[in-house]
Amino acid sequence: MSNKSVVDPNKFINYLKENGYLSKCVPPKIVIVVFLESLLNYCKEKYPLKKIEGFDAGELFLLEDNSSVAIFFCKGIGAPVAVINLEELIAYGVSNFIVVGSAGAISPNLSIGDIVICNSALRDEGTSRHYIDKGTISSPTESWTKEIKVHLSEKVAEVHEGGTWTTDAPYRETESKVVDLQNKGYLCVEMEASAMFTVADFYNVSIAALFAISDSLADLQWTPGFFSIKVSDSLHELIDFCLEFSVKAEANV
């Protein structure tokens, strides 16, 4: 028997189209993936968007001024739901992704509201093993990430670059694990990046990830800041940048 999947996302997307549930429009070239409904609402208020009906685990919105660029709202957090949506977007025809999310600081050099561009992810979630079994680290697309970093550095005063720890179990971010990863130079922790990087690599599509620091574990005391103005300002700055960058970049991807 082969390792070919019996349940095929391409067949599922075609099934939805054939039965009138999903639009047959030309897919966007670049999709910005967000996980926070508040960030989606910010985009709805600021940018003219057109919703593409038919995605069950998320919502896809095209820019009315440039349908090659879209925002996708992932309904839920964690690697499994993120990967389901990524699979379906790839099957829909999307080949370039930018993930905009929040993360907890591990590094003591990070503060609430700081911006991180991710260059690697520790695979401490279960989903990515179904795609690529070997290895403990996954990475975003190097050329895509570098291009985004160059333009981001022109717009944002301070950008931190480094690795993230992706875990399925946020309530098992133990002191010993945090200290170990601090010593290894990891910057932050979140729940989706390593799986999304692995799947993007599996399908040979481009992906990058940007985070706003929303809480901190760096001193082994959890300090939440999810609702602070610093975090919302940073997320708004990131999504504005990503949309501006994508409109300029889509002609060349």
Side-chain angles (χ1 to χ4, degrees):
M1 296 292 181
S2 74
N3 287 325
K4 183 178 179 180
S5 179
V6 177
V7 182
D8 187 329
N10 294 286
K11 290 182 180 179
F12 179 60
I13 290 298
N14 287 333
Y15 174 77
L16 293 178
K17 289 179 179 178
E18 290 166 1
N19 285 276
Y21 287 94
L22 185 60
S23 170
K24 295 182 180 181
C25 70
V26 176
K29 292 182 178 180
I30 301 174
V31 166
I32 302 160
V33 180
V34 302
F35 297 89
L36 297 172
E37 190 170 11
S38 59
L39 190 52
L40 173 65
N41 290 336
Y42 169 80
C43 293
K44 287 180 176 179
E45 292 173 2
K46 186 169 182 179
Y47 300 97
L49 303 176
K50 177 185 177 182
K51 185 176 180 180
I52 301 300
E53 300 289 349
F55 288 94
D56 289 334
E59 298 178 352
L60 181 66
F61 298 87
L62 303 180
L63 284 185
E64 286 190 358
D65 297 337
N66 189 330
S67 60
S68 291
V69 177
I71 296 167
F72 188 86
F73 171 54
C74 186
K75 293 181 179 178
I77 59 173
V81 67
V83 162
I84 286 171
N85 283 311
L86 190 60
E87 281 265 18
E88 293 178 3
L89 287 167
I90 293 169
Y92 193 60
V94 182
S95 56
N96 300 281
F97 298 90
I98 307 174
V99 180
V100 176
S102 59
I106 292 176
S107 169
N109 297 321
L110 289 176
S111 300
I112 300 295
D114 281 356
I115 288 174
V116 173
I117 185 165
C118 186
N119 63 16
S120 64
L122 178 64
R123 297 169 62 191
D124 196 19
E125 38 69 33
T127 306
S128 64
R129 301 293 169 185
H130 294 278
Y131 294 84
I132 300 173
D133 186 48
K134 296 180 180 179
T136 59
I137 304 296
S138 63
S139 300
T141 308
E142 184 176 1
S143 58
W144 187 232
T145 300
K146 182 178 180 180
E147 184 178 354
I148 291 169
K149 178 188 173 184
V150 168
H151 288 83
L152 182 63
S153 298
E154 296 172 353
K155 298 288 185 178
V156 178
E158 185 176 16
V159 178
H160 302 265
E161 181 180 7
T164 186
W165 165 31
T166 306
T167 178
D168 284 336
Y171 295 121
R172 293 304 300 158
E173 294 171 7
T174 62
E175 293 181 358
S176 59
K177 189 75 170 183
V178 170
V179 170
D180 178 55
L181 294 178
Q182 281 179 336
N183 292 335
K184 291 177 180 177
Y186 284 87
L187 295 187
C188 57
V189 56
E190 42 63 56
M191 298 181 66
E192 298 88 16
S194 65
M196 296 183 80
F197 294 167
T198 300
V199 173
D201 182 55
F202 184 84
Y203 286 105
N204 195 30
V205 299
S206 296
I207 195 166
L210 306 170
F211 307 128
I213 296 300
S214 58
D215 55 308
S216 180
L217 297 73
D219 60 359
L220 305 185
Q221 298 291 324
W222 183 54
T223 304
F226 301 104
F227 308 125
S228 72
I229 294 175
K230 288 182 179 180
V231 174
S232 60
D233 284 350
S234 292
L235 287 168
H236 296 169
E237 187 174 22
L238 281 177
I239 199 72
D240 288 340
F241 161 77
C242 288
L243 286 167
E244 180 184 344
F245 168 82
S246 298
V247 167
K248 293 177 179 178
E250 62 86 8
N252 298 315
V253 297

